Amino acid sequence: MKNEPLYLAFLVYFNRDRDYFECHEVMEELWLAQGSDPLYKGLLQVAVGLFHFRYGNVIGARKMLHSAEERLKSYPMDCLGIDLGKLRSEAALYAAKLEAYEHSPFTYYDLTIDIIDPELREAVEQASAHISPNIPQRQRPMRGSKHEQRQQG
C-alpha cells in the first residue's frame, strides 16, 4: 500500500507543500477506500491538527493531535515506509505543548514525515514531479459550484 498514488500524494503535500488541507482531502479518500483503517485516520488527524493550529484553532489542533497519537500508538515504529514512531512522538509533544498554550504560547511549526524506505522515497520524488502545489492553499473548506448556484437562485 505504500506506493498507492493517494498515499504518495499525501506525503508530497505533507512534506513538500505543507498543505495540510490537501493532505486531509487525499488521505480521507484513501482512508475510506481502505475500509476506515485507523492507521490512515491517524495520519489524516496529524495533518488536520497542524492545519487547525496554523489557522489559530488551538483547541481543535490539540484534540486532533491527541486523537492521532492514540490511533497511531498500536502500529509499529516503522510502518508504511515511514518513521511512524517519530511522527507519533512529535504529534504527542505538539499536543502537550498545545495543552499549555494559554500559559506558554509558541509559534506554529511544521512537522516532517521521515520516509525511511528507499523505494517509497523514490516513488514520492517521482510523484512530486507530477503534483502541482495548490497556490494559494485553501484555509478552509470551499463549497463547489452547486452551492454558488443555489446562492444565486
Side-chain angles (χ1 to χ4, degrees):
M1 193 46 52
K2 64 184 179 188
N3 288 344
E4 210 288 337
L6 290 169
Y7 182 58
L8 298 176
F10 170 81
L11 292 170
V12 169
Y13 288 126
F14 197 101
N15 286 345
R16 182 192 74 186
D17 299 346
R18 310 304 188 183
D19 187 342
Y20 303 118
F21 187 90
E22 200 60 36
C23 285
H24 167 269
E25 296 294 295
V26 297
M27 186 52 76
E28 183 175 55
E29 190 176 334
L30 181 57
W31 172 65
L32 292 171
Q34 294 299 314
S36 302
D37 186 328
L39 174 59
Y40 296 106
K41 175 88 177 223
L43 292 172
L44 185 152
Q45 288 176 320
V46 172
V48 171
L50 293 172
F51 177 83
H52 279 303
F53 186 49
R54 178 185 281 163
Y55 294 107
N57 181 356
V58 174
I59 294 170
R62 184 180 65 231
K63 287 178 181 178
M64 279 294 117
L65 291 168
H66 273 308
S67 184
E69 175 195 5
E70 238 351 87
R71 285 189 199 285
L72 297 174
K73 73 180 182 183
S74 64
Y75 293 93
M77 300 285 276
D78 58 340
C79 188
L80 291 176
I82 64 173
D83 188 342
L84 188 64
K86 178 179 175 269
L87 181 63
R88 185 174 53 233
S89 296
E90 289 177 343
L93 177 60
Y94 219 124
K97 289 171 77 172
L98 288 168
E99 287 287 344
Y101 186 80
E102 187 176 306
H103 302 291
S104 300
F106 62 96
T107 303
Y108 167 85
Y109 60 93
D110 293 307
L111 296 179
T112 297
I113 297 174
D114 288 347
I115 301 170
I116 57 177
D117 179 273
E119 183 182 314
L120 177 61
R121 190 177 308 114
E122 177 63 28
V124 169
E125 287 176 21
Q126 289 177 5
S128 181
H130 303 288
I131 297 173
S132 299
N134 294 311
I135 300 174
Q137 289 183 8
R138 291 189 279 179
Q139 296 181 6
R140 65 190 188 309
M142 296 177 190
R143 298 183 179 194
S145 59
K146 289 182 181 179
H147 175 72
E148 290 173 14
Q149 291 171 355
R150 284 193 301 272
Q151 295 299 315
Q152 293 171 1

